Short mmCIF file of all heavy atoms in Angstrom, two decimals:
data_model
loop_
_atom_site.label_atom_id
_atom_site.label_comp_id
_atom_site.label_asym_id
_atom_site.label_seq_id
_atom_site.Cartn_x
_atom_site.Cartn_y
_atom_site.Cartn_z
N ARG A 1 9.55 48.08 32.96
CA ARG A 1 8.91 48.73 34.10
C ARG A 1 9.81 48.69 35.33
O ARG A 1 9.86 49.67 36.11
CB ARG A 1 7.56 48.05 34.40
CG ARG A 1 6.48 48.36 33.37
CD ARG A 1 5.12 47.88 33.82
NE ARG A 1 5.05 46.41 33.90
CZ ARG A 1 4.75 45.62 32.89
NH1 ARG A 1 4.51 46.14 31.69
NH2 ARG A 1 4.68 44.32 33.04
N THR A 2 10.51 47.57 35.50
CA THR A 2 11.43 47.48 36.64
C THR A 2 12.55 48.50 36.51
O THR A 2 12.93 49.17 37.49
CB THR A 2 12.03 46.06 36.73
OG1 THR A 2 10.96 45.12 36.91
CG2 THR A 2 13.00 45.96 37.88
N ILE A 3 13.08 48.65 35.31
CA ILE A 3 14.16 49.62 35.08
C ILE A 3 13.67 51.05 35.33
O ILE A 3 14.39 51.89 35.91
CB ILE A 3 14.70 49.47 33.64
CG1 ILE A 3 15.43 48.14 33.48
CG2 ILE A 3 15.65 50.63 33.28
CD1 ILE A 3 15.81 47.80 32.05
N ALA A 4 12.42 51.34 34.91
CA ALA A 4 11.88 52.70 35.05
C ALA A 4 11.45 53.01 36.48
O ALA A 4 11.27 54.19 36.84
CB ALA A 4 10.69 52.88 34.11
N ASN A 5 11.32 52.01 37.31
CA ASN A 5 10.88 52.22 38.69
C ASN A 5 11.99 52.94 39.48
O ASN A 5 13.11 52.44 39.59
CB ASN A 5 10.57 50.86 39.33
CG ASN A 5 9.91 51.00 40.69
OD1 ASN A 5 10.07 52.00 41.38
ND2 ASN A 5 9.18 49.97 41.07
N PRO A 6 11.69 54.10 40.05
CA PRO A 6 12.72 54.86 40.78
C PRO A 6 13.25 54.13 42.01
O PRO A 6 14.33 54.45 42.50
CB PRO A 6 11.99 56.15 41.17
CG PRO A 6 10.53 55.82 41.10
CD PRO A 6 10.39 54.82 40.02
N GLU A 7 12.51 53.12 42.48
CA GLU A 7 12.96 52.39 43.66
C GLU A 7 13.92 51.26 43.30
O GLU A 7 14.48 50.62 44.19
CB GLU A 7 11.75 51.84 44.40
CG GLU A 7 10.82 52.92 44.95
CD GLU A 7 9.67 52.34 45.75
OE1 GLU A 7 9.61 51.09 45.87
OE2 GLU A 7 8.83 53.10 46.25
N THR A 8 14.10 50.99 42.01
CA THR A 8 15.00 49.92 41.59
C THR A 8 16.45 50.37 41.78
O THR A 8 16.83 51.46 41.37
CB THR A 8 14.76 49.55 40.12
OG1 THR A 8 13.39 49.16 39.94
CG2 THR A 8 15.68 48.42 39.68
N THR A 9 17.25 49.51 42.37
CA THR A 9 18.66 49.85 42.57
C THR A 9 19.40 49.81 41.25
O THR A 9 18.97 49.16 40.28
CB THR A 9 19.33 48.85 43.53
OG1 THR A 9 19.32 47.54 42.93
CG2 THR A 9 18.57 48.78 44.86
N GLU A 10 20.53 50.49 41.22
CA GLU A 10 21.32 50.52 39.99
C GLU A 10 21.83 49.12 39.62
O GLU A 10 21.90 48.76 38.44
CB GLU A 10 22.50 51.49 40.15
CG GLU A 10 23.32 51.67 38.88
CD GLU A 10 22.47 52.18 37.71
OE1 GLU A 10 21.49 52.91 37.93
OE2 GLU A 10 22.80 51.80 36.56
N GLU A 11 22.20 48.39 40.63
CA GLU A 11 22.67 47.02 40.37
C GLU A 11 21.56 46.19 39.71
O GLU A 11 21.81 45.44 38.77
CB GLU A 11 23.11 46.37 41.68
CG GLU A 11 23.62 44.94 41.51
CD GLU A 11 24.05 44.31 42.83
OE1 GLU A 11 23.94 44.98 43.87
OE2 GLU A 11 24.47 43.13 42.79
N ARG A 12 20.34 46.35 40.22
CA ARG A 12 19.20 45.63 39.66
C ARG A 12 18.91 46.10 38.24
O ARG A 12 18.59 45.29 37.37
CB ARG A 12 17.97 45.85 40.55
CG ARG A 12 16.68 45.17 40.08
CD ARG A 12 16.81 43.68 40.09
NE ARG A 12 15.51 43.05 39.86
CZ ARG A 12 15.35 41.81 39.48
NH1 ARG A 12 16.41 41.03 39.28
NH2 ARG A 12 14.14 41.31 39.31
N ARG A 13 19.04 47.40 38.00
CA ARG A 13 18.81 47.94 36.65
C ARG A 13 19.80 47.35 35.66
O ARG A 13 19.45 46.99 34.53
CB ARG A 13 18.93 49.46 36.65
CG ARG A 13 17.75 50.19 37.23
CD ARG A 13 17.78 51.67 36.85
NE ARG A 13 16.64 52.37 37.42
CZ ARG A 13 16.65 53.02 38.57
NH1 ARG A 13 17.78 53.05 39.30
NH2 ARG A 13 15.57 53.61 39.02
N GLN A 14 21.05 47.23 36.06
CA GLN A 14 22.06 46.67 35.16
C GLN A 14 21.74 45.22 34.82
O GLN A 14 21.90 44.78 33.68
CB GLN A 14 23.45 46.78 35.81
CG GLN A 14 23.97 48.22 35.90
CD GLN A 14 25.32 48.30 36.60
OE1 GLN A 14 25.87 47.27 37.00
NE2 GLN A 14 25.84 49.52 36.76
N GLN A 15 21.30 44.48 35.84
CA GLN A 15 20.90 43.09 35.59
C GLN A 15 19.74 43.02 34.62
O GLN A 15 19.73 42.21 33.68
CB GLN A 15 20.53 42.41 36.90
CG GLN A 15 20.06 40.96 36.72
CD GLN A 15 19.52 40.37 38.02
OE1 GLN A 15 19.63 40.96 39.09
NE2 GLN A 15 18.92 39.20 37.92
N MET A 16 18.73 43.90 34.83
CA MET A 16 17.56 43.93 33.97
C MET A 16 17.94 44.31 32.54
O MET A 16 17.40 43.76 31.57
CB MET A 16 16.52 44.92 34.51
CG MET A 16 15.83 44.50 35.80
SD MET A 16 14.71 43.08 35.61
CE MET A 16 15.77 41.75 36.22
N ARG A 17 18.87 45.24 32.39
CA ARG A 17 19.30 45.65 31.04
C ARG A 17 19.97 44.49 30.31
O ARG A 17 19.77 44.31 29.10
CB ARG A 17 20.23 46.85 31.13
CG ARG A 17 19.54 48.14 31.57
CD ARG A 17 20.46 49.34 31.43
NE ARG A 17 19.82 50.56 31.93
CZ ARG A 17 20.11 51.13 33.10
NH1 ARG A 17 21.04 50.58 33.91
NH2 ARG A 17 19.50 52.23 33.48
N ARG A 18 20.81 43.75 31.04
CA ARG A 18 21.45 42.59 30.41
C ARG A 18 20.42 41.56 29.97
O ARG A 18 20.50 41.02 28.86
CB ARG A 18 22.46 41.96 31.38
CG ARG A 18 23.73 42.81 31.60
CD ARG A 18 24.79 41.98 32.31
NE ARG A 18 24.38 41.57 33.65
CZ ARG A 18 24.57 42.28 34.76
NH1 ARG A 18 25.19 43.47 34.69
NH2 ARG A 18 24.17 41.83 35.94
N GLU A 19 19.47 41.30 30.85
CA GLU A 19 18.43 40.34 30.51
C GLU A 19 17.56 40.87 29.38
O GLU A 19 17.12 40.10 28.50
CB GLU A 19 17.58 40.02 31.74
CG GLU A 19 18.34 39.26 32.82
CD GLU A 19 17.49 38.96 34.04
OE1 GLU A 19 16.28 39.30 34.01
OE2 GLU A 19 18.01 38.38 35.02
N LEU A 20 17.31 42.15 29.39
CA LEU A 20 16.48 42.76 28.35
C LEU A 20 17.13 42.62 26.98
O LEU A 20 16.45 42.35 25.98
CB LEU A 20 16.25 44.24 28.69
CG LEU A 20 15.20 45.00 27.86
CD1 LEU A 20 13.85 44.31 27.95
CD2 LEU A 20 15.10 46.44 28.38
N GLU A 21 18.43 42.80 26.95
CA GLU A 21 19.15 42.63 25.69
C GLU A 21 18.98 41.20 25.16
O GLU A 21 18.77 40.99 23.95
CB GLU A 21 20.63 42.94 25.88
CG GLU A 21 21.46 42.83 24.61
CD GLU A 21 22.92 43.17 24.85
OE1 GLU A 21 23.24 43.67 25.95
OE2 GLU A 21 23.73 42.92 23.94
N GLY A 22 19.06 40.22 26.06
CA GLY A 22 18.87 38.83 25.66
C GLY A 22 17.45 38.56 25.19
O GLY A 22 17.24 37.83 24.21
N LEU A 23 16.48 39.14 25.86
CA LEU A 23 15.09 38.96 25.46
C LEU A 23 14.81 39.54 24.08
O LEU A 23 14.12 38.93 23.26
CB LEU A 23 14.15 39.59 26.49
CG LEU A 23 14.01 38.86 27.83
CD1 LEU A 23 13.33 39.74 28.86
CD2 LEU A 23 13.25 37.55 27.65
N ARG A 24 15.35 40.72 23.82
CA ARG A 24 15.14 41.34 22.51
C ARG A 24 15.83 40.54 21.41
O ARG A 24 15.31 40.44 20.30
CB ARG A 24 15.65 42.78 22.54
CG ARG A 24 14.73 43.71 23.33
CD ARG A 24 15.35 45.05 23.56
NE ARG A 24 14.39 45.97 24.21
CZ ARG A 24 14.73 47.08 24.84
NH1 ARG A 24 16.02 47.43 24.94
NH2 ARG A 24 13.81 47.84 25.40
N ARG A 25 16.97 39.96 21.73
CA ARG A 25 17.67 39.13 20.76
C ARG A 25 16.85 37.86 20.48
O ARG A 25 16.71 37.45 19.32
CB ARG A 25 19.05 38.77 21.30
CG ARG A 25 19.94 38.05 20.29
CD ARG A 25 21.40 38.07 20.72
NE ARG A 25 21.56 37.62 22.10
CZ ARG A 25 21.98 38.39 23.10
NH1 ARG A 25 22.27 39.67 22.89
NH2 ARG A 25 22.12 37.90 24.33
N GLU A 26 16.30 37.28 21.53
CA GLU A 26 15.47 36.10 21.35
C GLU A 26 14.22 36.43 20.55
O GLU A 26 13.78 35.65 19.70
CB GLU A 26 15.08 35.49 22.69
CG GLU A 26 14.24 34.22 22.55
CD GLU A 26 13.80 33.63 23.88
OE1 GLU A 26 14.17 34.18 24.94
OE2 GLU A 26 13.07 32.62 23.85
N ARG A 27 13.65 37.61 20.79
CA ARG A 27 12.45 38.01 20.05
C ARG A 27 12.74 38.11 18.56
O ARG A 27 11.93 37.72 17.72
CB ARG A 27 11.91 39.33 20.59
CG ARG A 27 10.52 39.67 20.07
CD ARG A 27 10.05 41.03 20.56
NE ARG A 27 8.63 41.21 20.32
CZ ARG A 27 8.09 41.52 19.14
NH1 ARG A 27 8.89 41.67 18.08
NH2 ARG A 27 6.78 41.67 19.01
N ARG A 28 13.90 38.65 18.21
CA ARG A 28 14.26 38.74 16.79
C ARG A 28 14.40 37.34 16.19
O ARG A 28 13.96 37.10 15.05
CB ARG A 28 15.57 39.53 16.63
CG ARG A 28 15.44 41.02 16.91
CD ARG A 28 16.68 41.78 16.45
NE ARG A 28 17.87 41.40 17.22
CZ ARG A 28 18.26 42.01 18.34
NH1 ARG A 28 17.54 43.02 18.85
NH2 ARG A 28 19.36 41.63 18.96
#
């Protein structure tokens, strides 16, 4: 949701994507 929010900065989106990758890996 943070990534999809148009008010989120690109820098914040990149951070969220990195964390998201880790979360999905942990979920597996």
Side-chain angles (χ1 to χ4, degrees):
R1 287 190 294 274
T2 300
I3 292 171
N5 189 334
E7 296 183 0
T8 302
T9 64
E10 185 57 31
E11 180 180 1
R12 179 64 170 161
R13 284 196 180 94
Q14 290 178 1
Q15 178 187 352
M16 291 291 99
R17 290 189 183 104
R18 288 193 296 271
E19 293 180 3
L20 191 56
E21 182 179 350
L23 287 167
R24 287 170 174 162
R25 188 164 51 246
E26 182 182 358
R27 191 183 193 282
R28 289 192 294 270

